[in-house]
Amino acid sequence: MKKIAIALVLALATFFVASYAFNTQHATLLGIITFLVALWTNEALPLGVVSLFPILLFPAFDIMSTNATTVNYSKSIIFLFLGGFMIAIATQKTNLHKYVSNKLLTLFPNTPRGVLFSLSITSAFLSSLISNTTTALLLIPIAMFLTDDLRLKMRLVLAIAYGASIGGIVTPIGTPPNLILLGFMEQQSIEAIPFVKWIFLTGPLAFIMLLIIPFVLSLGVNNLKFDTHLEDREHLSSEQRRLLYILGSLVVLLLVNSKIEPYYSGLGINEKGILLAYGLLMFMPKIGFLTWDDTKKIPYEIIFLFGAGFSIAAAFSSTGLAGEIANYLLQLTNLPVVFLIILVATLITFTTEVTSNTALISIALPIIYSLSQVANIDTTLILFVATICASYAFMLPIATPPNAIAMSSGAVKVKDMARFGIVFNIFGIICITTIALVYWQYYL
């Protein structure tokens, strides 16, 4: 109850302070969002429970009607992620992830630096295919048994957590903020970024970060005790081989379906339908691997969290609060594009450190969208920069799910994560700004 009381106090304080700059409806909305973010942060109530609160609070305080709120919990983008969850569960059930991880680990030298690179790259690779949260949960237990040296163990765990965040931005399904961006673009009738095009845009950034982060983490570890405990795994089982073929066909279909303008128009199949179809394929007799009991492993609280995020974004737009905040930021619109991108990247990166990246990006996108409408900057570009930065926060546990999972392992202390994380935050801002200016703005 103490944590709930703290959330209420913060919400009331936000309401009274916001009342000096906004009207009552806008101040109330900000108070409700503060209440939700506080509960998400202090975990006073289960994540899924808090994520359903907008259905009650928005109509009660005349923010949006019940129908206008609940429709955000069934957006088509949610079913893309649902299909991804089903595929991820099948991957875990067949232990295909362990086989892939073991093979990737053998590609690097059996030294502390080599294993740090291999864990980061393995984590990033898996996070591009399944959620970064799932990847961190799967790989961190492996890292905990690789060495008994506490300093090296801490760095191995951070390598996986940071690798998961790096790889999570490579595909639209890797992390929730990516899906929230696609859902928001759909709301605003902005042309969605195709699956394969997204990969080509984010690939160079991920490659650079995967060179920087493992190298920095490996500094000073040469003299630390290291011993791998991973056992060699047998060849692929028939189930693993079948799933690998299915995943291969999914990748091929996504490649063939993607538009490459003006040369190729693609197949025109909705990508959300493709992912959901492959997820449902996991239940087909003699083809799939799942039973209905396996659906208990689907993190429905994350799906509810998506709905809450979309509801918050819709409330910002429908009440006009996003435009109102954007009006306060109008004085920034005369800045050169490079400074606007640096400003957005810095604000999102460091603000994400103190709250959920999913909650933050839900709030930030409508504001940044409104700002882009009056600034001399490409809307899709600035939204894309903000979304990527929401996943590239490395300092504190609350920033991203992989950070929180790393902290829960017991091998990482807050001061360790902050010490490395602030360096990687700055590297991330520099890399994202540079790539946005020399690459993204020409191809988005």
Side-chain angles (χ1 to χ4, degrees), residues 388-403:
I388 300 304
C389 286
S391 293
Y392 273 29
F394 305 103
M395 282 180 61
L396 298 175
I398 191 61
T400 64
N403 286 12

Side-chain angles (χ1 to χ4, degrees), residues 318-334:
S318 65
T319 62
L321 178 57
E324 191 68 21
I325 294 176
N327 287 334
Y328 286 108
L329 299 175
L330 281 177
Q331 57 188 6
L332 303 174
T333 58
N334 293 325

Side-chain angles (χ1 to χ4, degrees), residues 260-272:
I260 306 177
E261 296 179 346
Y263 308 105
Y264 179 61
S265 59
L267 300 178
I269 305 174
N270 190 299
E271 289 185 343
K272 301 158 195 161

Side-chain angles (χ1 to χ4, degrees), residues 52-318:
L52 291 173
F53 276 6
I55 298 174
L56 300 176
L57 297 178
F58 283 1
F61 289 92
D62 199 27
I63 303 298
M64 288 196 307
S65 68
T66 301
N67 287 341
T69 305
T70 54
V71 70
N72 294 288
Y73 289 78
S74 60
K75 285 189 171 295
S76 58
I77 197 72
I78 289 176
F79 294 93
L80 179 148
F81 209 52
L82 184 62
F85 279 140
M86 294 173 181
I87 294 172
I89 292 171
T91 303
Q92 296 173 48
K93 189 173 182 178
T94 60
N95 284 323
L96 179 61
H97 65 284
K98 293 182 179 179
Y99 179 88
V100 173
S101 300
N102 187 66
K103 289 299 181 184
L104 287 173
L105 285 171
T106 61
L107 298 177
F108 293 84
N110 189 16
T111 64
R113 176 167 289 175
V115 173
L116 280 165
F117 267 91
S118 65
L119 286 175
S120 295
I121 294 172
T122 300
S123 182
F125 174 76
L126 291 178
S127 291
S128 68
L129 301 176
I130 60 179
S131 80
N132 59 359
T133 304
T134 301
T135 297
L137 286 169
L138 294 175
L139 293 184
I140 284 179
I142 296 175
M144 294 293 288
F145 290 97
L146 288 177
T147 179
D148 295 324
D149 189 298
L150 296 180
R151 289 175 59 198
L152 181 54
K153 185 178 294 189
M154 175 267 292
R155 296 180 188 225
L156 295 177
V157 170
L158 285 179
I160 290 174
Y162 293 160
S165 293
I166 293 169
I169 61 100
V170 174
T171 63
I173 62 173
T175 185
N178 298 358
L179 293 168
I180 290 174
L181 170 64
L182 293 179
F184 180 79
M185 293 175 71
E186 186 177 45
Q187 281 181 330
Q188 303 301 327
S189 300
I190 301 173
E191 184 178 357
I193 304 171
F195 200 100
V196 174
K197 183 177 180 180
W198 184 297
I199 294 174
F200 279 112
L201 289 170
T202 55
L205 173 63
F207 177 78
I208 293 171
M209 295 297 288
L210 284 173
L211 291 178
I212 294 171
I213 287 182
F215 177 78
V216 173
L217 287 174
S218 68
L219 295 176
V221 301
N222 291 332
N223 296 324
L224 298 181
K225 184 180 179 181
F226 176 78
D227 179 33
T228 53
H229 299 305
L230 277 182
E231 298 179 359
D232 291 333
R233 299 196 175 275
E234 298 178 355
H235 296 294
L236 283 169
S237 67
S238 58
E239 279 194 337
Q240 290 173 332
R241 188 176 293 106
R242 187 166 78 249
L243 178 55
L244 200 59
Y245 290 151
I246 292 173
L247 294 179
S249 69
L250 171 60
V251 173
V252 171
L253 180 56
L254 290 171
L255 286 168
V256 174
N257 187 59
S258 296
K259 292 189 294 184
I260 306 177
E261 296 179 346
Y263 308 105
Y264 179 61
S265 59
L267 300 178
I269 305 174
N270 190 299
E271 289 185 343
K272 301 158 195 161
I274 293 176
L275 264 293
L276 180 59
Y278 268 79
L280 296 177
L281 185 64
M282 298 297 104
F283 295 89
M284 291 292 291
K286 298 184 179 181
I287 297 177
F289 314 88
L290 304 181
T291 64
W292 187 249
D293 284 343
D294 292 314
T295 60
K296 296 176 182 177
K297 298 177 183 177
I298 293 176
Y300 292 103
E301 67 274 12
I302 300 297
I303 293 174
F304 292 153
L305 182 63
F306 290 153
F310 294 144
S311 296
I312 291 171
F316 261 77
S317 298
S318 65

